[in-house]
Amino acid sequence: FLVMSSPSLFISWVGLELNTLAFLPILLSKKNKLTSESSIKYFLTQTLASVIVIVGGLILLVLQTELSMTVVLFGLAIKLGAAPFHSWLVTVAESLAWAPLFVLLTVQKLNPLFMIWSFSQINSNFFHLIVFSSLVVGSLMGLAQTSTRALITFSSISHVGWFLTGMAFSLETGLLYFLIYSVVLLAPVLLLESTNMSHINQLPLIPVKLQNQCILFFSLLSLGGLPPFLGFLPKWVI
């Protein structure tokens, strides 16, 4: 709410920091070395991105050039996990439980999205580079994955390209895409959590209930944006 309602880059930055600090305990809900390592990576990456955002703000105060907005966008793209700054997201996602992963891929993207819409140059070449590389990297790198967490994460990186494309048209379009994506992502995440499935080759081991298999395949088709499923609607709007 602080980020959403703030007219000031500095107050928005404070909101980003509060959000990062609040998410760290959720990351550490599983007590093992892997989670501790991923939470440190998350913290360091977010800190680096925050420093870049605040440097962009300071350049804006002094020079008021296009460069400052590009620096702010660079920092926010790292926070968003957009390609080509996505490698931290995949590393962190691999060691998370499903509920924190869902939060990381949905709620945690809201603040950078609002800030990109408010404080960045949405029609700059750098913005278009981020959109295009997110769409390409998310789609192609997903083909090489066998881990379900990595697959969902690369799918999310691809969808970030769509979020940003929506934001380029209007805030409402970007938020519509974001909300429908969050709803559509919830079904496969809950199903993968209930079946405790970590790798694609475990798919045949799902308890043989037609209902389970139908829900999983329909929700994945919807996540891919195929008509006539719900996931196709926001792509059609854009």
Side-chain angles (χ1 to χ4, degrees), residues 164-175:
L164 294 173
T165 309
M167 288 284 177
F169 288 115
S170 70
L171 180 64
E172 290 80 7
T173 316
L175 285 182

Side-chain angles (χ1 to χ4, degrees), residues 148-162:
T148 47
R149 283 179 176 83
L151 257 176
I152 294 283
T153 306
F154 277 111
S155 158
S156 171
I157 291 166
S158 178
H159 281 285
V160 162
W162 284 94

Side-chain angles (χ1 to χ4, degrees), residues 30-228:
K30 272 168 68 178
K31 291 282 183 287
N32 60 38
K33 284 183 182 176
L34 207 59
T35 315
S36 305
E37 185 188 332
S38 70
S39 63
I40 290 167
K41 282 180 183 170
Y42 177 80
F43 177 70
L44 291 176
T45 311
Q46 296 296 309
T47 307
L48 170 69
S50 297
V51 169
I52 293 171
V53 169
I54 209 73
V55 165
L58 292 172
I59 294 172
L60 181 65
L61 279 176
V62 179
L63 298 176
Q64 294 192 342
T65 60
E66 288 186 7
L67 172 69
S68 59
M69 289 304 187
T70 306
V71 173
V72 171
L73 182 57
F74 175 50
L76 292 172
I78 296 174
K79 276 193 169 290
L80 200 54
F85 319 111
H86 63 282
S87 52
W88 69 268
L89 184 64
V90 185
T91 317
V92 170
E94 281 286 15
S95 64
L96 289 184
W98 284 105
L101 179 61
F102 178 75
V103 175
L104 177 67
L105 297 182
T106 53
V107 180
Q108 292 301 103
K109 294 192 188 299
L110 267 177
N111 284 348
L113 283 173
F114 277 126
M115 287 184 70
I116 284 173
W117 179 75
S118 303
F119 302 110
S120 300
Q121 294 171 299
I122 276 189
N123 286 316
S124 65
N125 290 332
F126 186 55
F127 179 83
H128 293 146
L129 171 73
I130 291 169
V131 169
F132 185 71
S133 57
S134 294
L135 291 168
V136 172
V137 169
S139 304
L140 294 182
M141 293 288 285
L143 295 174
Q145 305 305 317
T146 55
S147 159
T148 47
R149 283 179 176 83
L151 257 176
I152 294 283
T153 306
F154 277 111
S155 158
S156 171
I157 291 166
S158 178
H159 281 285
V160 162
W162 284 94
F163 296 158
L164 294 173
T165 309
M167 288 284 177
F169 288 115
S170 70
L171 180 64
E172 290 80 7
T173 316
L175 285 182
L176 172 74
Y177 195 102
F178 177 83
L179 288 171
I180 292 180
Y181 167 72
S182 302
V183 170
V184 166
L185 181 65
L186 190 58
V189 163
L190 289 174
L191 205 69
L192 290 168
E193 183 181 32
S194 65
T195 53
N196 198 19
M197 192 188 302
S198 299
H199 289 88
I200 292 295
N201 56 10
Q202 292 174 304
L203 267 171
L205 305 176
I206 297 181
V208 186
K209 283 184 184 171
L210 188 62
Q211 180 188 0
N212 274 4
Q213 293 183 339
C214 283
I215 290 172
L216 180 63
F217 290 121
F218 284 164
S219 58
L220 289 176
L221 288 173
S222 183
L223 197 59
L226 270 76

